[in-house]
Amino acid sequence: MTGESFLLPAEMAQEIIEHSLAETPRECCGLIAGADGVAERLYRLHNLAPGTELYEIDPQQLLDLEFKTLPAQGWEVVAIYHSHPHSPARPSSTDIALAGWPDAVYLICTLEDRENPGIRGFTIRDGEVSELVIRS
Amino acid sequence: MSVTVQVLIPTPLRRFTGGQAKVEATGATLSEVLDSLDAQHPGFSERVREDDGQIRRFVNVFVNGTNARDLAGADTALKSGDEVGIIPAMAGGAE
C-alpha cells in the first residue's frame, strides 16, 4: 500500500498535531484507516505505556478496530501515528525494534520546536526504515 | 473429541495464511492451537511466541475478547467455538 509518497489530508495532519499537543509531555498515538493506502478516517487511541518516552496503543481497541470496525467499512490500517514530544520526527531504536506492521506507514509528529510541529512518514520492515514523502 | 476454535489473523500475519483473515485450528489450550497453526502455516508460531513458549511481550492474544495475559497466557484452556484474536502491538518510543 505504500510507495514513494503518502497522501496525508491536511485536516488529519492538523488533528495529529492537536492530539500531540494535547497529550504532551506524554506521547500520543492513533491510527489512520482506509483502503488501498488512501486515508479515510483517523482514530485517536489510548496510550497504555507508562511515562513520557513510550507509547503502546491499547490492544483491546486494536482488536475491535482490526477485526470489526475497519472490515465493516472495507478498510484496513493505513498508517500508525505517535508523537515525539522532545525529539526529532524519526524512528527511534525502540520504534524500529517494535514495528510489527510492515504494510502501514509510521507517522511521527515532533514537538521538539513547539511553535513548528512537524510530521514525517516511514515504512519500517524487518528493521529497515524508508522515509516517504508526505503530501497533503 | 478435539476442540476446534476460530482464529482471527491480523493483517501483518496473513502472509502466513494465504491471505485468510480467519482460520480454524484445533487444540485444548492456546499453546496447542498455536502448534496446530504452525503445522498448517509454518513460521506462524514464532511470530507470536518466544522460544520458551510464552506469548511475546509485544503481541496480544485474546480469547473471546479477553487478553490471554489476564487468563493463563499460552496455557489458557479453550473450548470448541472459542474465538482467538491475535494482534501485534503498535508500540514504540522516543528513546
Side-chain angles (χ1 to χ4, degrees):
Chain A
M1 81 175 56
T2 59
E4 295 298 312
S5 65
F6 176 65
L7 182 63
L8 178 64
E11 67 272 18
M12 288 192 191
Q14 187 57 37
E15 183 160 3
I16 290 171
I17 291 168
E18 288 172 5
H19 192 192
S20 301
L21 289 167
E23 289 291 324
T24 194
R26 283 176 50 74
E27 296 192 12
C28 77
C29 53
L31 64 79
I32 294 172
D36 300 323
V38 177
E40 296 284 355
R41 181 165 169 185
L42 182 148
Y43 295 86
R44 293 188 184 204
L45 299 172
H46 296 138
N47 177 5
L48 295 187
T52 59
E53 301 273 313
L54 295 168
Y55 80 96
E56 182 174 2
I57 295 178
D58 182 348
Q60 188 76 53
Q61 290 186 302
L62 290 183
L63 183 80
D64 293 340
L65 284 164
E66 172 74 0
F67 296 122
K68 290 179 186 167
T69 310
L70 303 191
Q73 299 286 339
W75 294 344
E76 58 189 7
V77 175
V78 169
I80 300 161
Y81 74 86
H82 73 284
S83 60
H84 282 179
H86 305 293
S87 55
R90 61 169 179 257
S92 66
S93 56
T94 310
D95 290 333
I96 296 167
L98 299 183
W101 294 73
D103 293 328
V105 175
Y106 282 83
L107 298 171
I108 303 176
C109 177
T110 178
L111 300 179
E112 200 174 25
D113 176 354
R114 288 283 290 273
E115 302 305 313
N116 295 291
I119 298 172
R120 291 167 67 188
F122 307 85
T123 55
I124 308 175
R125 295 170 178 151
D126 294 326
E128 190 172 318
V129 178
S130 300
E131 182 161 12
L132 305 177
V133 174
I134 299 292
R135 295 180 292 122
S136 62
Chain B
M1 195 172 136
S2 68
V3 174
T4 302
V5 301
Q6 301 292 321
V7 185
L8 304 177
I9 309 296
T11 313
L13 297 183
R14 286 179 199 162
R15 63 190 173 93
F16 291 98
T17 61
Q20 292 181 88
K22 185 189 273 193
V23 299
E24 226 171 52
T26 56
T29 65
L30 212 40
S31 191
E32 288 182 17
V33 161
L34 290 169
D35 288 342
S36 153
L37 282 173
D38 203 59
Q40 294 175 61
H41 311 289
F44 186 92
S45 179
E46 70 182 55
R47 297 292 172 149
V48 180
R49 288 187 294 188
E50 301 285 1
D51 292 343
D52 67 3
Q54 290 307 302
I55 296 165
R56 288 184 177 276
R57 164 66 185 87
F58 287 100
V59 176
N60 291 283
V61 180
F62 290 84
V63 177
N64 301 327
T66 300
N67 197 319
R69 276 182 235 294
D70 299 325
L71 300 168
D75 298 324
T76 298
L78 301 172
K79 59 185 187 307
S80 280
D82 280 351
E83 187 177 75
V84 174
I86 300 171
I87 284 282
M90 290 183 187
E95 291 174 320

